[in-house]
Amino acid sequence: MKTLQVSFLVLSLVIFNSGISAYGQSAKEIVERMDLKMRGETMTVEMEMEIVRPRFSRTIGIKSWSKGQDFSMILITAPARDRGTSFLKRQREIWNWVPNIERTIKLPPSMMAQSWMGSDFTNDDLVRESSIINDYVHNIIGSEVIDGMECHKIEMIPKPDAAVVFGKILVWITKDSYLQLRGENYDEYGALVSTVLGSEIRKMDDREIPTLLEMIPSDKPGNKTILRYLKIEFDRPIDDAFFSVQRMKDLR
């Protein structure tokens, strides 16, 4: 029996060190399944973003549309002063329509790490310029329990030629349902930049997902940004032509 236990331990170490889960899935396949479940082939979302600071908080209403990795559109619906502001991603191009000055601005890659609408999310977080599938090398580095659910702990290291914001990302994805419950973003020197927590798992359309996301910066005590999903529709047809610079100005 002792020999069997030792052999199983060695086998487990080999499995984890090779980046393959006990279910025969690679770390990349696990991340792909998580991403597909959270995003679908297409996704239309209504949500609220609460920006929390030590002395104040404010809430932004958002509606968004996305299709695969290449297309996304975001419309600000509240407060009144920001209503009508929109953002567009087409492949690697990011655009911002500012109705107050009636101007469309193309965002350069250098702005991807900047704050989005004054929140703790970056421009890259919201429009997903980088691809968590194609821009990183994935490895399973452990297994942990979060909120009573067993999770794969996966390390994502950017590829040398990837235009990404972070130097390393750690994600915790449930083994049975492919939900991301935690994420940690690190800079190029290995310092923790921010933590993302997923909770309040509920059914949205045809699947159960975390409906509350908290982004917590590590260097700003008392600061955090909360995303609350109010309504989601997955896999409804959206034509590529919807994601156009002209359409940004007409969104409702």
Side-chain angles (χ1 to χ4, degrees):
M1 180 63 69
K2 184 178 294 185
T3 302
L4 179 61
Q5 290 175 337
V6 171
S7 298
F8 182 79
L9 175 60
V10 172
L11 177 60
S12 299
L13 290 173
V14 170
I15 288 173
F16 277 116
N17 288 335
S18 65
I20 303 295
S21 77
Y23 302 101
Q25 298 169 303
S26 70
K28 183 178 180 180
E29 287 171 337
I30 293 168
V31 173
E32 285 177 333
R33 291 195 64 170
M34 177 275 294
D35 190 57
L36 182 60
K37 184 166 187 176
M38 288 297 299
R39 293 160 59 90
E41 296 295 336
T42 68
M43 182 171 64
T44 302
V45 184
E46 294 179 18
M47 57 185 157
E48 289 181 345
M49 171 185 281
E50 182 182 3
I51 301 170
V52 180
R53 298 294 180 259
R55 296 186 178 182
F56 73 92
S57 66
R58 69 187 184 99
T59 300
I60 299 173
I62 301 171
K63 189 171 183 179
S64 73
W65 301 259
S66 65
K67 184 175 183 179
Q69 297 281 348
D70 292 330
F71 300 102
S72 64
M73 187 91 81
I74 298 173
L75 172 67
I76 306 300
T77 59
R81 67 180 183 182
D82 297 317
R83 186 180 299 130
T85 301
S86 58
F87 298 81
L88 166 68
K89 172 191 172 183
R90 287 183 61 92
Q91 284 86 37
R92 291 290 183 173
E93 294 184 337
I94 313 295
W95 301 84
N96 175 207
W97 164 248
V98 186
N100 292 340
I101 59 175
E102 296 188 348
R103 184 180 175 188
T104 302
I105 302 168
K106 186 175 181 181
L107 304 184
S110 59
M111 290 185 65
M112 287 302 101
Q114 294 186 14
S115 169
W116 187 81
M117 298 294 295
S119 73
D120 297 299
F121 288 94
T122 66
N123 288 321
D124 189 76
D125 290 324
L126 269 293
V127 297
R128 297 288 294 276
E129 183 198 31
S130 61
S131 166
I132 62 171
I133 308 300
N134 299 319
D135 288 340
Y136 292 86
V137 175
H138 312 78
N139 284 291
I140 299 172
I141 61 172
S143 179
E144 294 182 12
V145 176
I146 297 180
D147 295 335
M149 291 174 279
E150 288 195 12
C151 299
H152 295 293
K153 183 178 180 181
I154 295 177
E155 179 184 65
M156 305 198 307
I157 303 296
K159 295 178 181 178
D161 59 345
V164 300
V165 172
F166 299 113
K168 179 179 74 173
I169 298 175
L170 298 180
V171 293
W172 284 256
I173 299 173
T174 59
K175 294 182 178 181
D176 60 346
S177 51
Y178 301 97
L179 303 177
Q180 182 180 328
L181 300 185
R182 184 182 180 91
E184 293 179 355
N185 302 313
Y186 293 82
D187 65 19
E188 59 184 316
Y189 303 106
L192 179 64
V193 175
S194 57
T195 301
V196 184
L197 303 176
S199 61
E200 296 189 10
I201 297 172
R202 296 175 183 165
K203 190 169 185 179
M204 287 282 176
D205 200 3
D206 63 349
R207 66 200 68 184
E208 290 188 343
I209 62 170
T211 61
L212 188 146
L213 300 178
E214 294 181 83
M215 172 69 79
I216 305 170
S218 60
D219 60 346
K220 298 175 182 177
N223 285 21
K224 65 179 178 179
T225 299
I226 303 169
L227 276 180
R228 296 183 180 89
Y229 293 125
L230 306 177
K231 181 180 179 181
I232 302 179
E233 292 182 344
F234 291 102
D235 301 330
R236 307 302 199 271
I238 305 177
D239 194 272
D240 290 1
F242 173 82
F243 300 95
S244 68
V245 173
Q246 181 58 43
R247 182 62 66 91
M248 295 174 67
K249 307 173 186 180
D250 303 322
L251 292 174
R252 296 291 182 271

